[in-house]
């Protein structure tokens, strides 16, 4: 040390001590005119400023964006601006409510529980009216995603032998009140769930130790995976865990982060819409509790480079979750059809969990999904147990307490009905339809495919006209497409219903005509309601305003607008009653008495 340090060892310490003492004296000299309370106040202020700066550096949002949002939020408080915004928001609320309830012609509602039960015949009539409200023809292939299974009688009739037909209604009848919270009372449902887990784990090449649970939906599956990894982080002394997800990952991860108090880092994607693995590597810290990959992502149907992401996880000892909610029952059978499928499941070392929806390309009724783990150690991290509750020891495997045994039974029956050959045939038809649609879109001038579609989703955009205007025009022709943002685009998620004869050709024909119409009449794009919403979302710096509009939409789902015909209302018995002769509506028993007197 003495060779390169100009002082001897003892002299070095004396110099350092002298420098510290000189700094102390200089600091005291500067503060000699300050009172004690001032010194304390300044110290606290500096500490608070340091903490604030540290928090700002930890957030995902760029500094410039946060500054703009703060300024916009302050401007919103100005009385005149506030009044103008409230006026526009009220217009937006009415517009959303009117648009959402446009298919309900009568706008009559049950607002009270009927005093006497409604007859089965009347209930069926009401249900038929409710079922007929939608103008979208799901089973004619006019909708992107949403309903993945085609309506066919052979699926409904699971077994036909000796003139005895066991169909879904009989499965429903046997298990309609089953609850998997009580496996001792419903051992059949318990066995069904165990078999669903094992069948799906085997499909995704899980080993003998692979395990999991049936959940209610893909969002619950994702939340449970995040819960398991958060608890794992807690056990390792990480109390501010952070997850790393691609920007195209499902927003359920954002919901999980907010619910579970996990920080989230969104990683940019390449032009091909695959996660930037290099950026993922740079984002890893000592507090990273999980890394996410999509197979495929919902936005463009692109499968991330799971192998490279899993290698990162192995190198740094971080669990890797693959979100295969969309592709879990699609990619394995694409592989059986000899389509190129990048490795994504438990065959990839480093993949520790997979979420997989059965109600999508598993063609089961809505209400089931799965979360699968490589081993039980991780599964136990999602379990909940309260051993001191006065009501007894309470343990559940998922977020739900009561769990729908009927949905599990219907899922089990569907998996057995299709089998490997049935799923292979269906998926082959879906992928063939997807390739036809992609080729047709690529042949249309002014439309560009987004990303590198790997499965059943085709996303596209346009530089010549508003793509949202195209979506709205297609909507008027009876086609429901999914709007995207960042970048602006739309996609079609191909399902079993699109494989019906003539559907693909009709879609491409209408799409071509719509593009020509928008090119000939650019003003049609300006009139697009969807374009107005997404343009506002992209330019408004304070996203709270966008959230408020979104909450208005959700509120409108539960709103009960006034009936169009004066005099239609509800009795206290909860029945819908049509008054004759324009009698003004009353409430309470007086109204019922007046009706009875007529």
């Amino acid at each position: 040390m003495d060779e390169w340090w100009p002082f001897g060892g003892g002299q070095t310490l004396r110099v350092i001590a002298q420098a510290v003492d000189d700094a102390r004296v200089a600091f005291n000299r500067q503060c000699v005119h300050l009172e004690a309370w001032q010194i304390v106040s300044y110290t606290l202020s500096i500490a608070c400023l340091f903490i604030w700066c540290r928090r700002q550096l930890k957030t995902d949002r760029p500094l410039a964006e946060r500054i703009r949002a703060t300024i916009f939020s302050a401007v919103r408080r100005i009385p005149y601006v506030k009044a103008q915004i409230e006026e526009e928001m009220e217009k937006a609320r009415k517009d959303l409510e009117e648009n959402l309830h446009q298919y309900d012609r009568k706008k009559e509602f049950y607002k009270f529980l009927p005093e006497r039960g409604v007859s089965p015949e009347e209930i069926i009539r009401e249900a038929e009216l409710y079922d007929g409200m939608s103008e979208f023809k799901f089973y004619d292939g006019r909708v992107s995603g949403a309903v993945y299974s085609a309506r066919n009688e052979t699926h409904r009739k699971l077994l036909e032998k000796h003139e005895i037909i066991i169909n879904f209604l009989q499965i429903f009848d046997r298990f309609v009140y089953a609850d998997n919270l009580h496996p001792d009372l419903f051992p059949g449902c318990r066995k069904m769930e165990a078999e669903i887990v094992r069948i799906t784990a085997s499909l995704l090449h899980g080993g003998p130790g692979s395990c999991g649970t049936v959940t209610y939906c893909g969002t619950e599956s994702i939340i449970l995976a995040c819960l398991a990894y958060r608890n794992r982080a807690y056990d390792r002394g990480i109390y501010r865990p952070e997850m790393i997800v691609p920007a195209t990952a499902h927003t359920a991860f954002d919901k999980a982060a907010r619910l579970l108090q996990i920080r989230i880092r969104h990683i940019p994607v390449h032009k091909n819409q695959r996660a930037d693995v290099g950026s993922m590597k740079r984002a890893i810290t000592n507090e990273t509790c999980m890394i996410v990959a999509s197979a495929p992502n919902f936005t463009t149907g692109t499968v991330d480079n799971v192998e490279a992401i899993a290698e990162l996880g192995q190198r740094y000892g971080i669990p890797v979750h693959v979100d295969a909610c969309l592709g879990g029952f699609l990619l394995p059978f694409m592989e059986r059809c000899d389509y190129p499928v990048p490795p994504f499941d438990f065959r990839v070392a480093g993949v520790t969990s997979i979420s997989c929806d059965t109600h999508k390309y598993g063609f089961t009724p809505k209400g089931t999904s799965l979360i699968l783990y490589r081993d039980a150690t991780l599964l136990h991290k999602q379990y909940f147990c309260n051993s001191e509750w006065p009501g007894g020891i309470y343990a559940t495997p998922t977020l739900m307490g009561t769990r729908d045994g009927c949905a599990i039974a219907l899922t089990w029956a569907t998996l057995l009905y299709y089998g490997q050959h049935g799923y292979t045939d269906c998926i082959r038809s879906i992928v063939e339809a997807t390739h036809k649609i992609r080729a047709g879109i690529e042949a249309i001038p002014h439309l560009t495919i987004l990303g590198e579609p790997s499965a059943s989703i085709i996303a596209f955009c346009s530089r010549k006209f508003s793509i949202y205007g195209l979506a709205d025009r297609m909507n008027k022709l009876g086609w429901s497409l999914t709007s995207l943002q960042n970048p602006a685009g739309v996609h079609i998620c191909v399902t079993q219903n699109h494989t019906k004869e003539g559907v693909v050709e009709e879609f491409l024909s209408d799409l071509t005509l719509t593009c020509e119409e928008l090119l000939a009449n650019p003003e049609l794009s300006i009139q697009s309601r969807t374009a107005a919403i997404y343009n506002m979302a992209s330019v408004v710096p304070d996203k709270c305003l966008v959230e408020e509009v979104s909450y208005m939409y959700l509120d409108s789902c539960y709103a009960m607008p006034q009936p169009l015909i004066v005099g239609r209302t509800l009795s206290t018995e909860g029945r819908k009653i049509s008054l004759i002769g324009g009698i003004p509506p009353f409430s309470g028993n007086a109204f019922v008495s007046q009706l009875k007197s007529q």
Side-chain angles (χ1 to χ4, degrees):
M1 180 175 180
D2 291 339
E3 294 178 358
W4 60 272
W5 188 254
F7 309 104
Q11 187 176 356
T12 301
L13 293 177
R14 286 194 297 272
V15 170
I16 293 175
Q18 183 63 43
V20 171
D21 188 64
D22 291 343
R24 178 184 62 81
V25 172
F27 182 79
N28 288 337
R29 189 179 297 116
Q30 292 294 325
C31 298
V32 70
H33 64 285
L34 297 176
E35 297 183 17
W37 70 269
Q38 291 178 301
I39 295 175
V40 172
S41 299
Y42 293 157
T43 303
L44 289 176
S45 299
I46 293 173
C48 291
L49 179 63
F50 174 79
I51 294 172
W52 181 84
C53 291
R54 188 171 183 272
R55 287 179 177 176
Q56 296 303 310
L57 292 173
K58 285 287 185 179
T59 184
D60 280 346
R61 298 177 66 189
L63 179 61
E65 182 180 330
R66 295 198 299 273
I67 292 174
R68 288 197 302 269
T70 302
I71 295 173
F72 182 80
S73 180
V75 172
R76 282 189 63 184
R77 296 189 180 95
I78 299 174
Y80 174 76
V81 176
K82 183 179 180 181
Q84 291 295 314
I85 291 178
E86 288 178 351
E87 182 180 348
E88 292 300 320
M89 293 289 277
E90 180 61 20
K91 291 180 182 178
R93 185 194 65 78
K94 291 181 179 179
D95 185 55
L96 286 171
E97 191 171 294
E98 180 182 346
N99 184 59
L100 198 61
H101 292 268
Q102 62 180 311
Y103 304 115
D104 188 356
R105 306 301 183 190
K106 296 182 179 180
K107 293 183 173 58
E108 297 177 330
F109 301 91
Y110 286 100
K111 295 185 178 180
F112 309 98
L113 187 66
E115 186 174 330
R116 300 178 185 84
V118 180
S119 68
E121 294 78 14
E122 187 175 346
I123 292 174
I124 294 298
R125 283 196 299 271
E126 290 283 339
E128 289 175 348
L129 290 174
Y130 286 20
D131 184 48
M133 283 184 183
S134 177
E135 295 184 357
F136 290 103
K137 300 177 180 178
F138 302 99
Y139 299 105
D140 290 345
R142 313 285 292 191
V143 175
S144 169
V147 179
Y148 291 80
S149 175
R151 186 192 292 270
N152 63 75
E153 291 302 317
T154 56
H155 185 196
R156 293 167 60 86
K157 299 176 182 178
L158 298 181
L159 179 64
E160 184 172 0
K161 185 177 181 181
H162 302 303
E163 299 180 354
I164 298 176
I165 298 176
I166 301 176
N167 57 35
F168 268 130
L169 293 179
Q170 289 176 288
I171 297 288
F172 180 86
D173 183 60
R174 290 177 182 273
F175 296 97
V176 62
Y177 296 115
D179 181 1
N180 269 34
L181 178 64
H182 305 286
D184 54 334
L185 300 181
F186 304 100
C189 269
R190 179 208 58 76
K191 183 178 180 181
M192 287 176 173
E193 180 177 10
E195 290 179 350
I196 292 170
V197 170
R198 180 46 46 200
I199 288 171
T200 310
S202 299
L203 181 67
L204 299 175
H205 298 93
S210 60
C211 52
T213 60
V214 174
T215 65
Y216 181 74
C217 62
T219 294
E220 186 187 3
S221 296
I222 288 171
I223 291 175
L224 285 171
C226 295
L227 174 65
Y229 295 132
R230 187 206 67 176
N231 291 342
R232 176 181 179 272
Y234 283 177
D235 292 343
R236 292 168 176 253
I238 302 172
Y239 298 109
R240 298 192 71 236
E242 181 177 76
M243 70 171 84
I244 296 175
V245 305
T248 51
H250 197 280
T251 191
F253 289 100
D254 296 275
K255 180 183 285 189
R258 191 175 300 181
L259 290 173
L260 302 174
Q261 297 295 299
I262 303 174
R263 290 175 296 155
I264 186 167
R265 294 284 299 274
H266 294 96
I267 302 302
V269 295
H270 296 295
K271 286 186 177 180
N272 60 9
Q273 296 296 300
R274 286 190 171 87
D276 184 344
V277 180
S279 296
M280 277 189 168
K281 180 180 178 180
R282 290 189 292 273
I284 292 175
T285 68
N286 292 333
E287 296 177 323
T288 302
C289 69
M290 64 183 293
I291 305 175
V292 174
S294 301
N297 64 54
F298 172 78
T299 309
T300 61
T302 303
V303 177
D304 288 327
N305 189 344
V306 176
E307 285 186 305
I309 294 172
E311 184 181 348
L312 272 183
Q314 279 193 303
R315 184 186 308 173
Y316 294 98
I318 301 171
V320 173
H321 176 81
V322 175
D323 175 23
C325 284
L326 187 67
F329 272 82
L330 179 68
L331 298 178
F333 295 105
M334 285 180 61
E335 193 172 358
R336 292 174 186 268
C337 297
D338 294 327
Y339 288 108
V341 175
F344 75 98
D345 55 18
F346 286 121
R347 286 175 293 182
V348 180
V351 171
T352 54
S353 61
I354 301 175
S355 50
C356 170
D357 283 355
T358 48
H359 70 81
K360 289 188 172 72
Y361 293 102
F363 307 135
T364 69
K366 299 293 184 182
T368 58
S369 175
L370 288 105
I371 174 64
L372 302 172
Y373 297 97
R374 185 175 288 274
D375 58 63
T377 304
L378 292 171
L379 175 63
H380 293 169
K381 301 295 183 185
Q382 81 169 39
Y383 286 171
F384 171 82
C385 178
N386 186 347
S387 59
E388 299 180 354
W389 183 43
I393 298 175
Y394 183 85
T396 58
T398 67
L399 296 179
M400 304 295 178
T402 296
R403 300 171 67 218
D404 186 359
C406 186
I408 290 173
L410 293 174
T411 297
W412 172 84
T414 302
L415 296 182
L416 297 185
Y417 166 75
Y418 276 98
Q420 294 187 21
H421 289 291
Y423 279 117
T424 302
D425 292 340
C426 290
I427 297 305
R428 180 184 291 109
S429 300
I430 290 171
V431 176
E432 287 175 355
T434 304
H435 288 176
K436 289 180 182 178
I437 291 175
R438 177 176 181 174
I441 292 174
E442 289 176 335
I444 299 175
H446 314 306
L447 290 184
T448 304
I449 299 292
L450 289 173
E452 295 180 1
S454 307
S456 60
I457 288 179
I458 304 296
F460 52 96
C461 63
S462 175
R463 295 181 179 178
K464 294 295 183 180
F465 50 78
S466 169
I467 197 67
Y468 301 129
L470 180 142
D472 283 353
R473 301 300 295 178
M474 290 291 285
N475 186 281
K476 292 181 179 179
L477 295 176
W479 299 97
S480 176
L481 302 179
T482 304
S483 298
L484 312 173
Q485 61 178 343
N486 304 321
V490 296
H491 84 212
I492 179 169
C493 180
V494 182
T495 69
Q496 206 174 2
N497 296 297
H498 295 98
T499 64
K500 296 177 180 177
E501 185 177 356
V503 173
V504 171
E505 291 75 14
E506 186 178 359
F507 171 76
L508 292 174
S509 175
D510 286 349
L511 186 64
T512 303
L513 292 175
T514 301
C515 290
E516 294 173 354
E517 184 181 14
L518 290 174
L519 287 170
N521 302 283
E523 67 277 2
L524 294 177
S525 296
I526 302 175
Q527 300 170 3
S528 167
R529 176 180 299 176
T530 306
I533 293 174
Y534 279 98
N535 288 339
M536 180 198 72
S538 63
V539 300
V540 172
D542 186 5
K543 299 306 178 184
C544 290
L545 190 61
V546 180
E547 290 181 2
E548 288 177 27
V549 175
S550 300
Y551 295 162
M552 284 182 182
Y553 172 82
L554 296 177
D555 287 340
S556 297
C557 294
Y558 300 94
M560 293 187 175
Q562 292 297 318
L564 297 178
I565 301 177
V566 178
R568 289 183 181 269
T569 185
L570 290 171
S571 73
T572 53
E573 292 187 356
R575 297 177 183 273
K576 299 179 182 180
I577 300 176
S578 300
L579 300 183
I580 301 175
I583 300 175
F586 293 84
S587 61
N589 294 328
F591 174 49
V592 178
S593 301
Q594 184 169 356
L595 283 175
K596 291 180 178 179
S597 66
Q598 293 186 14

